[in-house]
Amino acid sequence: MKLTKMSRVFTWGAVLLMLQMAGTEPALRTPHDKAGVFADLSAQEIKAVHSFLRNRTELGLQPSKKVTMAKNSVFLIELLLPKKKHVLNFLDKGGKSPVREARAIIFFGAQEHPNITEFAVGPLPLPYYIRELSPRPGHHLSWSSRPISAAEYDLLFHMLRRAITPLHQFFLDTTGFSFLDCDARCLTFTDVAPRGVESGQRRSWLIVQRYVEGYFLHPTGLEILVDHGSTDDQDWRVEKLWYNGKFYDSPEELAQKYANGEVDTVVLGDPLPESTEQPPLFSSYKRRGEFPMPINVSGPHIVQPNGPRYKLEGHTVIYGGWSFSYCLRTSSGLQIFNVLFGGERIAYEVSVQEAVALYGGHTPAGMQTKYIDVGWGLGSVTHELAPGIDCPETATFLDAFHYYDSDGPVRYPHALCLFEMPTGVPLRRHFNSNFKGGFNFYAGLKGYVLVLRTTSTVYNYDYIWDFIFYPNGVMETKMHATGYVHATFYTPEGLRHGTRLQTHLLGNIHTHLVHYRVDMDVAGTKNSFQTLKTKLENITNPWSPSHSVVQPTLEQTQYSRERQASFRFGQTLPKYLLFSSPQKNCWEHRRSYRLQIHSMAEQVLPPGCPEERAVTWARYPLAVTKYRESERYSSSLYNQNDPWDPPVVFEEFLQNNENIEEEDLVAWVTVGFLHIPHSEDIPNTATPGNSVGFLIRPFNFFPEDPSLASRDTVIVWPRNKDGHNHVQRWVPEDRDCLRPPPFRYNGTYKPV
Ligand SMILES: [Cu+2]
């Protein structure tokens, strides 16, 4: 047994040594061709599933774009992941390839009791069966929990235009904009969620805004509550209005009171600059102002003189010691699978599960807002990345296909990018002084990382999602928040809940929280979880007994049950969170990977408050559970619009309090930050300081730093007899400077 462990350790070392000596390409082979098992559905596969469903006449399907709620339509088609045991059997044991299936969500609106049903459709690429996927036992997907669709927005606009006709003059007088015959001076709205106060409701507060560049920052002071729960849009009603601090029961009441001079109105100035001499709109990106030292030339670029140093084989990425497969899941976002370093598995899956933003405010829309973004198509809003801005020009840009509220696959060009970049800081370096004005040697390993990136633009906000791979076996995930803040109309009372950002604008306080699933497989699926911390001891100084020594000692805790390994916010999270294999390294330490969390998140909602049921994962910066197929996702498309009775309740994953020793473990990580908007959030929240994430780092996993295999090391030896320093390097010095490709950006995404 021991021999096997030792031989594994030494084999890897020997491979490195052989590679350095032989100067050849790495000989390690991983079955990349097999990784197609994780690949997102292709456009052809989506089409095949869609046409298979359309041909099932008993489903009575109609196009999604048909502007009615009373229809049956396919809302979403995405990959249905096979069971992990089947995938591992295929990848590791030569078992048969798991059946490829799609998950299809159908909204059955054309019936007396409308419902949502999820199906498995397979086998791909030529499907011939359909199987209902049941939600958790005892739960059914309520009709009101479905995400909003383009058809529903169409109907909402129609209904709103009709209902608020009496307010036409009021709008013109107070905003200069309107909903009718408006041309360049139109009003629009932002709807907030959750939509109501209890399960079964679909009552949305709409913030009426002037439709100008950055309209999110142009509330008019009017918010409207609309009940749009019925499948017959003729039943939809304006229930209430709020204008500048006061509630009104109907548009007619507000119009009448306005005509009577009984409304405390705020007349907004014209937001559109009349001439080019005037400064641009405050919500615009257009340049204004001047730096003390203006810069008039373009900045540094990344060049790859020898082309990319990573390889992309289908959906699998190979880079130095790393290999992994990626998936851009339409519903929830970026996932990576089968993460290997040096041919050994470290994680089976690392994936984004949910992103929420929970607000406070004085206006009804402000106090109502609890955005749970998977319910807004978090994984589908992956719009085009700009070379040189969103990713370096040298990046490989990858398209994505989503079927979300459409009638066929939609191509999102350049939705993902993959690139290597210099970090600007050495991975390791040392100046070995001879303390006589010279050195014995200098050595450094250039800092490079590989980044896989996508973004989600959820209306006003943009999330940038990164998976970052370092050559020393460290992997990092990061979420940067940017885009427009969610803002409401300024009233003096609003200052309790935010910051005044403009004459009529309040940036509302909110907390961003992101949930990740980290299915660690540290050298196999049998892992344990333990923490290390320090404890001070006060002992008699052994070499000076009249004195004492106060020093830290190591304190290790082994966790045996899920509840024990669920850390609440407010509780101190030990600094060293270790996922360990039963294998030991040559020094008898368990081969482990460490989870290191970078976050400023806190408990936002008290456990048990109504909407908190949808985000019970947000109670825990870290919870460790035993792998279960029924616990693949901590949230769902439906948690947003029925947070009171959601189909997925993370807390239930912990209820059976399973054993977690020598088991297949999953770490669930919550990261986030409190965002108190400030004037510099105009026009947009900036990425510096607004990123959170975590790292997984080897801890006694390798016999030594595995980046020793990198050829980017440079060693300088002091002058020899001829007076020259000797520079030792493993790749030729780069004297070229290739020009990057010219800037290109398209900006469209189209059905295919
Ligand atoms: Cu924010």
Side-chain angles (χ1 to χ4, degrees):
M1 186 72 181
K2 197 169 170 186
L3 263 178
T4 327
K5 290 174 212 157
M6 297 289 275
S7 66
R8 179 188 287 279
V9 170
F10 288 125
T11 308
W12 173 229
V15 169
L16 298 183
L17 190 65
M18 272 169 51
L19 292 177
Q20 286 201 351
M21 286 167 60
T24 57
E25 286 295 301
L28 295 167
R29 285 270 172 265
T30 45
H32 306 309
D33 49 334
K34 286 187 168 184
V37 70
F38 301 113
D40 289 302
L41 298 184
S42 66
Q44 289 73 18
E45 286 175 319
I46 293 172
K47 281 180 181 171
V49 172
H50 190 241
S51 79
F52 169 76
L53 292 171
R54 288 296 301 263
N55 289 337
R56 305 279 300 218
T57 47
E58 72 274 22
L59 297 174
L61 292 174
Q62 294 191 296
S64 295
K65 63 170 182 282
K66 186 176 178 194
V67 186
T68 173
M69 293 292 97
K71 65 172 190 273
N72 299 350
S73 58
V74 184
F75 183 72
L76 179 140
I77 300 172
E78 66 182 9
L79 176 71
L80 181 67
L81 275 172
K83 288 186 172 149
K84 180 175 178 181
K85 68 174 182 201
H86 296 154
V87 175
L88 291 186
N89 184 44
F90 170 62
L91 291 180
D92 299 348
K93 298 184 184 139
K96 66 177 193 316
S97 176
V99 178
R100 198 160 157 78
E101 292 185 320
R103 172 197 191 203
I105 298 176
I106 300 185
F107 289 176
F108 289 98
Q111 52 193 44
E112 195 188 339
H113 299 290
N115 75 51
I116 307 163
T117 312
E118 301 205 355
F119 297 98
V121 177
L124 297 178
L126 300 168
Y128 58 77
Y129 65 79
I130 178 167
R131 182 178 82 245
E132 198 173 321
L133 297 168
S134 45
R136 78 181 205 276
H139 193 275
H140 77 281
L141 300 173
S142 67
W143 177 241
S144 59
S145 72
R146 73 196 187 282
I148 201 160
S149 64
E152 191 165 6
Y153 275 124
D154 251 28
L155 292 171
L156 265 177
F157 258 109
H158 272 98
M159 177 263 170
L160 202 62
R161 278 200 201 101
R162 206 171 52 234
I164 59 178
T165 312
L167 291 171
H168 184 62
Q169 196 55 47
F170 164 82
F171 284 132
L172 286 178
D173 295 348
T174 57
T175 71
F177 284 52
S178 73
F179 276 102
L180 309 167
D181 310 321
C182 48
D183 200 17
R185 290 170 184 269
C186 291
L187 293 171
T188 186
F189 67 80
T190 289
D191 54 321
V192 308
R195 305 174 191 279
V197 289
E198 59 182 51
S199 188
Q201 295 188 346
R202 201 167 180 84
R203 302 161 68 206
S204 302
W205 276 100
L206 316 180
I207 304 171
V208 178
Q209 296 149 328
R210 296 197 282 187
Y211 194 57
V212 293
E213 204 179 329
Y215 60 89
F216 312 105
L217 305 186
H218 294 272
T220 59
L222 184 69
E223 297 181 355
I224 303 174
L225 178 63
V226 177
D227 186 334
H228 52 117
S230 171
T231 46
D232 182 355
D233 57 287
Q234 295 302 317
D235 298 338
W236 295 4
R237 292 282 174 270
V238 169
E239 283 191 71
K240 216 172 251 311
L241 300 94
W242 177 94
Y243 178 68
N244 192 27
K246 289 207 172 60
F247 286 95
Y248 300 88
D249 285 332
S250 66
E252 290 76 13
E253 186 198 344
L254 174 58
Q256 189 57 54
K257 287 194 166 155
Y258 173 65
N260 298 347
E262 295 166 20
V263 176
D264 181 14
T265 53
V266 177
V267 177
L268 310 181
D270 193 341
L272 301 172
E274 276 173 9
S275 71
T276 45
E277 272 113 75
Q278 280 185 297
L281 196 58
F282 75 86
S283 50
S284 158
Y285 257 71
K286 291 191 188 94
R287 204 195 73 79
R288 56 254 193 191
E290 209 59 79
F291 287 132
M293 193 202 92
I295 296 172
N296 297 314
V297 291
S298 68
H301 294 265
I302 293 179
V303 288
Q304 297 188 139
N306 305 294
R309 306 198 300 173
Y310 53 86
K311 263 198 271 184
L312 191 59
E313 294 180 2
H315 280 60
T316 299
V317 179
I318 308 142
Y319 171 66
W322 289 105
S323 81
F324 61 92
S325 302
Y326 70 86
C327 196
L328 184 50
R329 188 172 182 246
T330 299
S331 53
S332 59
L334 196 54
Q335 310 174 306
I336 55 167
F337 290 98
N338 201 29
V339 183
L340 312 181
F341 193 94
E344 266 188 300
R345 190 169 294 119
I346 289 158
Y348 180 74
E349 174 185 344
V350 185
S351 58
V352 176
Q353 295 291 307
E354 186 56 278
V356 305
L358 309 169
Y359 289 77
H362 177 68
T363 76
M367 67 181 75
Q368 179 71 18
T369 310
K370 291 180 178 70
Y371 285 137
I372 306 175
D373 285 333
V374 168
W376 298 81
L378 185 68
S380 73
V381 282
T382 52
H383 292 287
E384 186 173 342
L385 297 165
I389 304 160
D390 295 321
C391 323
E393 294 96 334
T394 49
T396 303
F397 291 89
L398 302 158
D399 298 352
F401 295 96
H402 297 301
Y403 182 109
Y404 183 94
D405 189 23
S406 59
D407 292 303
V410 177
R411 180 194 289 269
Y412 284 70
H414 295 191
L416 293 136
C417 68
L418 179 69
F419 57 92
E420 189 185 15
M421 66 170 185
T423 57
V425 65
L427 192 126
R428 287 181 266 115
R429 62 92 69 188
H430 179 63
F431 177 85
N432 197 257
S433 173
N434 68 4
F435 302 102
K436 289 184 270 184
F439 67 124
N440 299 319
F441 70 90
Y442 162 84
L445 174 56
K446 296 183 191 179
Y448 291 106
V449 287
L450 183 80
V451 182
L452 175 67
R453 173 172 293 167
T454 189
T455 58
S456 303
T457 302
V458 192
Y459 283 68
N460 52 308
Y461 246 88
D462 296 67
Y463 299 106
I464 301 173
W465 306 103
D466 283 359
F467 287 89
I468 306 166
F469 300 83
Y470 295 82
N472 62 341
V474 174
M475 196 212 87
E476 184 175 11
T477 74
K478 217 183 236 187
M479 180 279 276
H480 288 92
T482 179
Y484 285 98
V485 292
H486 174 61
T488 55
F489 193 69
Y490 168 77
T491 59
E493 299 86 346
L495 290 174
R496 291 184 62 233
H497 307 281
T499 308
R500 189 177 191 174
L501 301 176
Q502 277 287 325
T503 317
H504 303 297
L505 186 68
L506 186 92
N508 296 66
I509 46 173
H510 56 282
T511 297
H512 295 275
L513 295 172
V514 174
H515 203 220
Y516 287 96
R517 174 190 168 92
V518 192
D519 178 355
M520 299 296 295
D521 278 6
V522 181
T525 52
K526 290 269 166 286
N527 291 167
S528 297
F529 173 67
Q530 52 197 271
T531 61
L532 284 176
K533 56 185 180 184
T534 58
K535 192 178 171 190
L536 287 179
E537 67 171 10
N538 190 343
I539 55 167
T540 305
N541 188 329
W543 53 269
S544 178
S546 60
H547 295 91
S548 62
V549 176
V550 178
Q551 64 167 354
T553 61
L554 271 180
E555 195 176 67
Q556 184 187 315
T557 310
Q558 185 74 30
Y559 294 75
S560 56
R561 295 275 162 186
E562 289 177 338
R563 283 278 182 211
Q564 195 193 357
S566 306
F567 298 88
R568 293 255 182 180
F569 280 110
Q571 197 183 339
T572 309
L573 190 62
K575 297 282 181 293
Y576 277 67
L577 308 161
L578 303 174
F579 294 83
S580 309
S581 157
Q583 293 174 16
K584 291 186 174 166
N585 75 356
C586 44
W587 316 116
E588 288 298 303
H589 292 294
R590 291 178 67 135
R591 301 182 65 210
S592 307
Y593 251 74
R594 175 188 171 195
L595 174 71
Q596 187 175 325
I597 299 173
H598 290 164
S599 166
M600 288 164 283
E602 287 174 325
Q603 182 81 41
V604 185
L605 298 172
C609 89
E611 291 84 18
E612 196 261 349
R613 194 163 163 73
V615 292
T616 52
W617 49 265
R619 298 173 182 179
Y620 307 100
L622 171 66
V624 180
T625 63
K626 180 182 163 183
Y627 185 98
R628 270 186 175 269
E629 281 300 332
S630 58
E631 299 173 359
R632 287 299 283 267
Y633 305 102
S634 63
S635 193
S636 80
L637 282 173
Y638 317 105
N639 283 35
Q640 172 71 89
N641 289 335
D642 194 353
W644 309 282
D645 186 17
V648 180
V649 179
F650 176 76
E651 185 67 31
E652 292 178 353
F653 297 4
L654 310 174
Q655 251 155 25
N656 53 10
N657 197 20
E658 283 176 287
N659 173 53
I660 52 165
E661 282 182 297
E662 312 282 304
E663 293 287 357
D664 188 357
L665 301 186
V666 179
W668 303 88
V669 180
T670 302
V671 294
F673 65 96
L674 167 67
H675 187 176
I676 303 175
H678 47 95
S679 55
E680 298 82 2
D681 280 313
I682 302 296
N684 271 190
T685 296
T687 53
N690 286 326
S691 70
V692 288
F694 62 88
L695 298 101
I696 52 173
R697 307 172 53 183
F699 189 83
N700 296 320
F701 187 83
F702 301 107
E704 57 184 1
D705 183 344
S707 68
L708 281 161
S710 168
R711 288 154 187 264
D712 294 322
T713 292
V714 175
I715 309 176
V716 186
W717 304 101
R719 281 177 186 77
N720 52 20
K721 283 185 192 116
D722 63 13
H724 294 292
N725 287 344
H726 172 59
V727 181
Q728 191 176 10
R729 53 171 79 242
W730 283 263
V731 289
E733 190 179 6
D734 165 35
R735 293 177 187 278
D736 296 328
C737 188
L738 299 185
R739 293 178 67 82
F743 184 79
R744 267 196 213 104
Y745 195 77
N746 185 293
T748 57
Y749 52 108
K750 292 182 196 149
V752 288

